[in-house]
Amino acid sequence: MLFPQKPTSTFLLLTLTLLLLASFSRNINASDYTSAEDDSDDLEQLLALDEQEDQQQQGQEQEISNRFSEAEVLSKAQRIVLELNSDNSKRVIDENELVMVLGYAPWCVRSAELMPQFAEAATSLKELGSSLLMAKLDAERYPKVASLLDIKGFPTLLLFVNGTSQAYTGGFSAEEIVIWARKKTGVPVIRISTVTEAEEFLKKHQMFVIGLFEKFKGPDYESFIKAATSDNEIQFVETSSIEVAKVLYPDIQATNLFLGIVKSEPERYIVYEGTFETESILQFLDYNKFPLVTKLTELNSVRVYSSPIKLQVYVFAKADDFKTLLEPLQDVARMFTKKIMFMYIDIMDENLAKPFLTLFGLEEAKNTLVTAFDNKGSSKFLLQSDPTPSNIEEFCSGLLRGSISTYFKSQPIPDNRNASVLAVVGKTFDDLVLNSPKNVLLEVYTPWCINCETTSKQVEKLAKHFKGVHNLVFAKVDASANEHPKLQVDDYPTLLIYKAGDKDNPIKLSTKSGSKELAAFINKHVRTKDQVAKDEL
């Protein structure tokens, strides 16, 4: 036993009863029906508390037991994976026909996430009778071996077939690693012949492609096999039995030729209605393999970004809030199938959420937000009303119509009273720069720019020097927190003069010039209504 056994409920009941009787004897003269009833209530409360403690402890014991069980499974799986080093790496790869190598670094977070998935895949492959040898290499400890195997980043997965390597192109869950490995080592399709086999298959696989063929030959079947081999992520199964097919795909209507995809979500069954051509089948999978709403992780991010559906809506929410939103969001997603991809990111996950939210200047947000990206044109959009299902639906319809304005982040509008250099933000760029009747010298900076502070001091000096010139304005904008479609700057600091008569073609000034050179440049390009002050710079 991990914990000492607790007193039984019978023992506790007996003890409590004796204590209550003793108390009753000492206070018999003061007792009445009400006090007896109170004692009964107290007893029930104590017994209820004891039962609650029992349940809590049982839960803790079960949790610890589960942890030991998981640790034992992981330990067993990790023992199956061969550890490579300077002495055995070449021999292992040369002497085995099929070897999959995981190159990792102990400090790499993604390596740590992938390691247990890789170990679990190794166990599954061994149980399936695969001859593929699974191995791992600490590339930081053995850099020469890593270089020899062409491992340049972490984590790296490589498949060696008779000593020749090919890059891994599959997913990163244990199931996805198994599927990819089997496809690349000669088992692109699983053939299922009996209802029993089909029922067992369903217990292990949540997502797959099913093909029904009267005979396993002919052009249609060949296209199916080519698609199964080319696809890197989804398990393909085939059968010639309509009874077997109905177990795997209950909604099947065809009797001798059929292809469909099965997923583990409300939109579970999707039939393929195109011609049996390899490229058409693969395109069908690309548009239908993701759930209605996909949770973004570091492991699936590459697959998400490479999706042919380039218009993607991202919902940022706390996990508990998203549980309430998921079902209605799936209903919305169903309306835009194959046109918009829906993603969910836990807003409290800083590693994933913060980089996205920073693009909107909303990195400190804690409440539910809905954004969108058009990966074709690198445009971004923000739902600026409450994230209700009806508002999300309207937002998505607007995205498809092109009626939603591209979002440009902006800080709050500042108070520029008495400022010698005006602070410009995204919301005021039009008014203070482009639509201003005056000439505007604009400093574009970022807080992290090393040289920006020096340039800012120069701009402050110049603003004082030209204080008496009424048709010249000095301004600055923090490009890390503010955007505008007509402010396209990649180098910081940048100085630009927007001339009163030609705001579409700003003139760039050298930030390496001294204050006097900059003043001379301004005098040359800006026609001032008043004589420039004569004070020294």
Side-chain angles (χ1 to χ4, degrees):
M1 294 290 291
L2 292 173
F3 297 95
Q5 220 172 6
K6 287 187 63 132
T8 64
S9 296
T10 305
F11 176 76
L12 285 169
L13 179 59
L14 178 60
T15 305
L16 289 167
T17 303
L18 291 171
L19 288 170
L20 288 169
L21 285 172
S23 174
F24 177 75
S25 298
R26 287 195 301 270
N27 300 286
I28 194 165
N29 293 332
S31 298
D32 57 17
Y33 179 80
T34 303
S35 65
E37 190 178 57
D38 290 344
D39 286 342
S40 177
D41 289 344
D42 290 343
L43 178 59
E44 288 179 6
Q45 289 174 6
L46 286 168
L47 291 174
L49 286 170
D50 183 66
E51 185 178 353
Q52 185 179 357
E53 287 178 8
D54 274 339
Q55 290 174 351
Q56 288 176 347
Q57 183 153 333
Q58 287 171 5
Q60 290 171 351
E61 289 175 357
Q62 184 62 47
E63 183 180 349
I64 290 173
S65 175
N66 290 341
R67 286 179 186 172
F68 276 117
S69 177
E70 290 171 4
E72 186 178 352
V73 170
L74 180 58
S75 176
K76 178 183 176 183
Q78 288 175 335
R79 288 196 297 272
I80 294 172
V81 178
L82 180 65
E83 187 77 54
L84 299 180
N85 53 47
S86 300
D87 298 325
N88 68 1
S89 294
K90 189 176 186 306
R91 185 181 73 255
V92 167
I93 291 172
D94 289 346
E95 294 179 0
N96 291 275
E97 180 187 4
L98 302 169
V99 183
M100 181 177 278
V101 176
L102 166 61
Y104 70 95
W107 47 262
C108 172
V109 175
R110 294 192 68 182
S111 293
E113 290 177 351
L114 183 56
M115 193 79 72
Q117 299 297 326
F118 187 75
E120 188 180 335
T123 301
S124 298
L125 286 164
K126 186 172 183 179
E127 291 172 352
L128 290 166
S130 173
S131 61
L132 177 64
L133 177 64
M134 303 284 275
K136 61 183 179 180
L137 173 74
D138 183 341
E140 185 179 55
R141 185 176 180 184
Y142 303 106
K144 289 184 179 179
V145 178
S147 178
L148 183 68
L149 299 181
D150 202 28
I151 294 172
K152 298 175 181 177
F154 312 117
T156 293
L157 278 172
L158 296 171
L159 174 66
F160 289 84
V161 180
N162 293 320
T164 302
S165 71
Q166 58 178 288
Y168 179 80
T169 54
F172 294 98
S173 69
E175 183 180 3
E176 289 168 328
I177 294 171
V178 170
I179 291 169
W180 188 91
R182 296 191 80 200
K183 286 189 177 193
K184 300 305 178 185
T185 56
V187 192
V189 178
I190 295 175
R191 183 172 296 177
I192 300 180
S193 304
T194 68
V195 168
T196 302
E197 288 175 353
E199 290 171 344
E200 288 301 312
F201 178 85
L202 282 176
K203 293 177 183 178
K204 298 178 181 178
H205 296 269
Q206 298 295 313
M207 179 177 177
F208 55 90
V209 172
I210 172 177
L212 171 66
F213 301 92
E214 190 173 9
K215 296 180 179 179
F216 299 121
K217 61 182 180 180
D220 292 339
Y221 180 68
E222 288 174 7
S223 294
F224 175 78
I225 294 297
K226 286 180 182 177
T229 306
S230 299
D231 174 79
N232 293 317
E233 302 170 14
I234 308 173
Q235 182 63 64
F236 279 56
V237 297
E238 62 185 23
T239 185
S240 59
S241 165
I242 186 64
E243 288 76 17
V244 170
K246 284 183 177 179
V247 173
L248 299 171
Y249 198 109
D251 295 347
I252 192 170
Q253 300 296 322
T255 56
N256 60 354
L257 182 63
F258 172 84
L259 188 147
I261 187 170
V262 179
K263 299 191 289 185
S264 59
E265 63 162 6
E267 205 77 0
R268 183 163 174 77
Y269 303 105
I270 305 173
V271 63
Y272 174 67
E273 297 176 335
T275 58
F276 274 64
E277 296 175 354
T278 301
E279 289 306 315
S280 298
I281 294 172
L282 291 173
Q283 187 178 50
F284 165 73
L285 298 181
D286 279 341
Y287 277 90
N288 291 284
K289 63 187 175 184
F290 286 101
L292 287 170
V293 180
T294 301
K295 181 177 180 181
L296 187 72
T297 66
E298 288 195 14
L299 293 179
N300 71 8
S301 58
V302 174
R303 293 171 54 219
V304 168
Y305 302 147
S306 62
S307 168
I309 304 175
K310 298 304 180 185
L311 191 55
Q312 300 181 349
V313 168
Y314 287 74
V315 177
F316 298 85
K318 294 176 182 175
D320 289 341
D321 295 338
F322 184 70
K323 288 178 183 176
T324 306
L325 185 59
L326 176 57
E327 191 172 335
L329 186 62
Q330 287 175 328
D331 292 336
V332 173
R334 196 174 285 110
M335 301 177 194
F336 300 96
T337 302
K338 300 180 184 178
K339 297 176 181 177
I340 299 177
M341 190 173 180
F342 287 77
M343 312 298 302
Y344 159 64
I345 300 178
D346 185 343
I347 201 168
M348 304 309 289
D349 184 344
E350 287 201 359
N351 289 334
L352 281 174
K354 199 164 186 175
F356 283 97
L357 295 175
T358 299
L359 296 174
F360 293 84
L362 300 170
E363 53 268 33
E364 301 304 322
K366 301 298 180 188
N367 296 321
T368 302
L369 290 170
V370 178
T371 69
F373 294 89
D374 182 352
N375 292 335
K376 276 186 180 178
S378 300
S379 301
K380 61 181 185 284
F381 309 88
L382 175 69
L383 174 63
Q384 304 203 43
S385 56
D386 291 336
T388 62
S390 59
N391 285 342
I392 296 174
E393 179 186 343
E394 185 178 346
F395 177 66
C396 293
S397 297
L399 289 172
L400 292 178
R401 291 194 305 266
S403 60
I404 302 293
S405 299
T406 303
Y407 181 83
F408 295 96
K409 63 183 176 181
S410 174
Q411 291 175 303
I413 297 175
D415 183 359
N416 279 318
R417 284 179 295 182
N418 303 320
S420 58
V421 179
L422 301 181
V424 174
V425 297
K427 296 175 182 176
T428 61
F429 191 86
D430 283 329
D431 291 339
L432 296 183
V433 179
L434 298 183
N435 298 333
S436 171
K438 300 181 180 182
N439 301 287
V440 179
L441 186 145
L442 180 69
E443 175 199 356
V444 186
Y445 71 97
T446 64
W448 42 261
C449 162
I450 297 173
N451 299 318
C452 285
E453 187 176 351
T454 301
T455 300
S456 294
K457 289 178 180 178
Q458 282 186 318
V459 173
E460 290 284 354
K461 275 187 180 183
L462 290 167
K464 292 177 182 178
H465 180 70
F466 287 94
K467 187 176 182 180
V469 180
H470 299 297
N471 68 334
L472 177 61
V473 173
F474 288 81
K476 61 183 178 180
V477 60
D478 179 355
S480 70
N482 299 281
E483 296 172 328
H484 190 278
K486 291 192 175 180
L487 181 65
Q488 302 298 324
V489 174
D490 297 319
D491 189 27
Y492 309 105
T494 290
L495 290 176
L496 300 169
I497 289 182
Y498 290 81
K499 296 179 70 171
D502 188 13
K503 293 296 178 77
D504 290 332
N505 298 292
I507 303 168
K508 190 172 182 179
L509 286 69
S510 172
T511 55
K512 294 181 180 179
S513 300
S515 299
K516 289 184 178 181
E517 289 82 3
L518 290 172
F521 188 92
I522 293 169
N523 278 323
K524 179 181 177 182
H525 289 278
V526 176
R527 292 186 178 181
T528 59
K529 293 179 180 178
D530 304 304
Q531 182 67 31
V532 174
K534 299 293 183 181
D535 55 314
E536 293 293 329
L537 279 169

